[in-house]
Amino acid sequence: MPDLAQSIQAALSERFGERLDVDSTLRGLDELASLAGRRVHRRWLEREVAPDLLRLLCACALSAPSKRDLQQSDILIIREKAKRHAIAELLPEMPWLSDAPVFLVFLANGRRLPQIAQLRGKPFPNDHLDLFFNATVDAAIVLATFLRAAEAVGLGCCPISVIRDHARVIGEMLALPDKVVPIAGMCVGWPAEASGITARLPLGLTVHEERFDEGDLAAQIDAYDRRRAALRPFRNQREPERFGRAEFYGWSEDKARQYATPLRADFGAFVRAKGFDLE
Ligand SMILES: Cc1cc2nc3c(=O)[nH]c(=O)nc-3n(C[C@H](O)[C@H](O)[C@H](O)COP(=O)(O)O)c2cc1C
């Protein structure tokens, strides 16, 4: 079997714990190989990302499909060191942010459509949850497409949704007007080291045929926890003083502990304060 098909199979086997058939005569195996083996990066070389390259990648990302051709997503580029550091200071738990030569913010823009209605002298009776939802979905697709484009040219990226913990402050810093909210940031740079593949839940849980079927959820999660721990165990346990020290600490224990504390419970209030009607 040629190398590409083999490397896709190896990456997906590590990712999902399943051997998938890969037809070595398929077109686009190089793109599949980069998707199958992708991973986030959190360490960068001290090398700038040329503005022209970044613009090219933004253009490719914004070529993504857009719901009803409404084009409700924007990208904000932050290169200025002082601004990046000001954001990084809000997130000391993520030092990789201040090291990245470029930081992007992907925006859901629910503002342009009502502005266009006004420009064209038309009513806008669609100021409800769907406006926020459509803009957010578009922004997420643009983010994912940017990631793919950046990785295709050898850049390393790490999306940063934790900026939403400080949405109001960052929104003011970036002069975000009403009905424009950040969905996530993204560190972009030339990777300084190869990070590893992160195992995903088995396809038996996340790909459904004809009807939704969880199967034996507990058994599948348990098997996933053990497979993942064998590849890359968690280094630390969250809040042992609250939850005790687990003999076996897997992904599900980590996620259950992580979400046993309210996180970003004020985000809805921020989005409403930004003028979105979420009814
Ligand atoms: C929308 C989104 C937000 C994320 N936010 C953060 C973040 O705030 N900080 C961080 O270090 N990683 C963040 N990540 C990266 C994930 O932690 C990472 O994708 C996950 O651990 C799986 O690793 P992999 O992408 O290498 O497979 C985010 C990823 C996505 C898709």
Side-chain angles (χ1 to χ4, degrees), residues 33-245:
S34 91
L35 283 173
R38 62 145 303 281
R39 67 282 309 265
V40 293
H41 288 89
R42 297 190 175 95
R43 279 169 174 270
W44 293 275
L45 300 174
E46 279 185 38
R47 177 179 159 198
E48 82 148 339
V49 180
D52 285 353
L53 173 58
L54 199 58
R55 203 162 175 80
L56 170 69
L57 298 176
C58 288
C60 289
L62 288 160
S63 302
S66 164
K67 200 259 174 193
R68 286 231 168 167
D69 197 15
L70 292 175
Q71 309 181 45
Q72 298 184 100
S73 173
D74 300 356
I75 305 172
L76 198 155
I77 301 172
I78 305 175
R79 285 180 173 280
E80 229 177 77
K81 222 176 192 166
K83 213 172 255 171
R84 280 188 288 121
H85 284 185
I87 296 177
E89 266 175 24
L90 296 167
L91 314 169
E93 72 278 23
M94 299 197 172
W96 39 94
L97 202 149
S98 60
D99 300 340
V102 180
F103 189 66
L104 305 180
V105 181
F106 289 83
L107 302 168
N109 185 336
R111 178 182 180 79
R112 212 155 28 226
L113 203 50
Q115 280 175 319
I116 288 169
Q118 202 175 25
L119 283 173
R120 294 286 158 240
K122 301 292 183 298
F124 188 73
N126 284 297
D127 198 353
H128 47 70
L129 176 65
D130 212 40
L131 182 70
F132 174 70
F133 194 78
N134 288 335
T136 304
V137 170
D138 261 20
I141 294 172
V142 168
L143 180 151
T145 310
F146 182 93
L147 205 66
R148 206 169 126 199
E151 285 169 356
V153 299
L155 285 162
C157 301
C158 184
I160 302 286
S161 59
V162 175
I163 59 165
R164 285 193 275 122
D165 287 357
H166 306 276
R168 194 183 53 75
V169 178
I170 290 174
E172 281 169 13
M173 213 183 268
L174 304 179
L176 301 185
D178 268 3
K179 288 198 168 73
V180 176
V181 296
I183 66 145
M186 174 130 40
C187 302
V188 184
W190 300 101
E193 62 182 18
S195 50
I197 284 183
T198 301
R200 292 284 195 273
L201 289 166
L203 297 176
L205 264 186
T206 51
V207 179
H208 306 261
E209 300 268 355
E210 311 299 346
R211 59 186 287 277
F212 189 87
D213 177 14
E214 285 171 340
D216 187 345
L217 178 78
Q220 295 210 62
I221 295 282
D222 188 54
Y224 170 64
D225 280 344
R226 294 193 184 267
R227 178 169 65 82
R228 183 167 166 149
L231 292 167
R232 202 189 321 156
F234 282 86
R235 262 178 273 166
N236 300 307
Q237 300 198 4
R238 283 178 205 269
E239 296 191 73
E241 62 295 339
R242 180 177 174 198
F243 297 111
R245 196 156 282 284

Side-chain angles (χ1 to χ4, degrees), residues 16-34:
F16 297 102
E18 182 182 324
R19 190 183 176 284
L20 284 116
D21 289 332
V22 183
D23 176 352
S24 61
T25 63
L26 272 181
R27 278 185 53 173
L29 283 182
D30 49 348
E31 174 141 22
L32 293 191
S34 91

